[in-house]
Amino acid sequence: MEIKGKTAIVTGAASGIGLQYAHDLLKNDAKKVAILDLPTSNGQNSAAELEKEFGKGSAVFYICDVTNAQQLEDTFKEVINDFKQLDILVNNAGIMNDIRYETMVNLNLLGLIRSTLLALDHMGKHKGGAGGTIVNISSVAGLVGFPEMPIYVATKHAVIGFSQALKGKFDTTGVRILTLCPGATVTPLVTEAKDIYLDFVDKYIAYETLLQLEHQSVQHVSDAFIELLNFGENGAFWVVENGKLPYAINLPDYHTLTVPIEKKK
Ligand SMILES: NC(=O)c1ccc[n+]([C@@H]2O[C@H](COP(=O)([O-])OP(=O)(O)OC[C@H]3O[C@@H](n4cnc5c(N)ncnc54)[C@H](O)[C@@H]3O)[C@@H](O)[C@H]2O)c1
């Protein structure tokens, strides 16, 4: 896919990896990027910095709490009205906090589902749209069961399942579904991950374990993101971890995973 001339929404793009995605979309000649983020975020400054580098109107900040269904719907309408088209949605906004798990599920899963449905309404060929691409941001936590954060893990596994199912509707929607699973990356989500663990988790061990993981830069993840957009086929799942080159994974048919049931007396 050519990114050139395309318009995009990136949720949670005021800072962190999302800001790098927005930057690199513009660097690859996207026409306009909408940054959807909280009113308390750095969104206004981030958009201004991007405009300095890529021209006036290239990046626009929209105050939008992705957990607020009405605000999300209104913001999608506003962006589409302003940009006249929407080609790419990046479902990036997310938190990692097993204590605030209702908010986290509402954001990491329900928010991602809501914005996907809104994008499909606009881009879907079944609704008269021109097709497009949705990139869902999961995590390596969506592929393994880190015992320290079971609810975060659950939200990221759910993103994998959602993408896995939705990719099967490409012939109807014309919307490519791509999923990126980053490993530990240097952002506040990891570096400030202190009071986020349930009471049966040893938070000191959990925090130290997280910090000891091999961290990669947001630029490294975003390079993989741009490659995925350029070359990923519908239904692609890519992992980018430990600062190494990204790789694609195949989710196995569960029938190939059978093991005998051991009945111990
Ligand atoms: N950092 C990592 O190690 C890592 C690894 C794998 C996956 N991820 C995923 O990547 C995504 C981005 O993570 P990050 O590390 O850049 O986090 P971050 O905390 O640095 O940035 C998250 C952004 O989302 C915004 N946000 C939070 N709640 C929001 C809401 N309700 N509505 C709109 N915006 C909201 C924040 O204001 C912030 O700008 C998340 O989905 C995260 O789960 C991160």
Side-chain angles (χ1 to χ4, degrees), residues 80-179:
I80 289 163
N81 188 47
D82 292 349
F83 288 10
K84 308 296 176 222
Q85 73 187 78
L86 175 65
D87 305 300
I88 300 168
L89 165 67
V90 186
N91 278 318
N92 167 74
I95 56 172
M96 184 170 77
N97 191 325
D98 271 19
I99 295 176
R100 293 176 55 216
Y101 66 85
E102 291 191 354
T103 304
M104 183 169 69
V105 172
N106 202 355
L107 175 59
N108 295 11
L109 179 56
L110 294 180
L112 181 141
I113 290 173
R114 285 187 202 108
S115 60
T116 298
L117 297 180
L118 290 167
L120 285 174
D121 271 347
H122 174 75
M123 305 195 291
K125 290 192 169 156
H126 62 298
K127 292 277 178 88
T133 300
I134 295 175
V135 186
N136 288 329
I137 305 300
S138 179
S139 165
V140 293
L143 300 167
V144 291
F146 291 130
E148 282 75 25
M149 40 185 127
I151 310 175
Y152 180 72
V153 162
T155 65
K156 293 299 180 180
H157 271 68
V159 172
I160 301 275
F162 186 54
S163 296
Q164 176 77 340
L166 213 51
K167 73 177 195 191
K169 284 292 160 201
F170 177 75
D171 288 347
T172 307
T173 65
V175 176
R176 206 168 45 132
I177 306 294
L178 305 175
T179 308

Side-chain angles (χ1 to χ4, degrees), residues 12 14-18 36-38 41 64-67 92-95 107 137-139 152 156 182-185 187-190:
S15 61
I17 316 176
L36 271 54
D37 213 307
L38 298 172
S41 74
C64 179
D65 180 340
V66 173
T67 64
N92 167 74
I95 56 172
L107 175 59
I137 305 300
S138 179
S139 165
Y152 180 72
K156 293 299 180 180
T185 308
T187 72
L189 181 126
V190 168

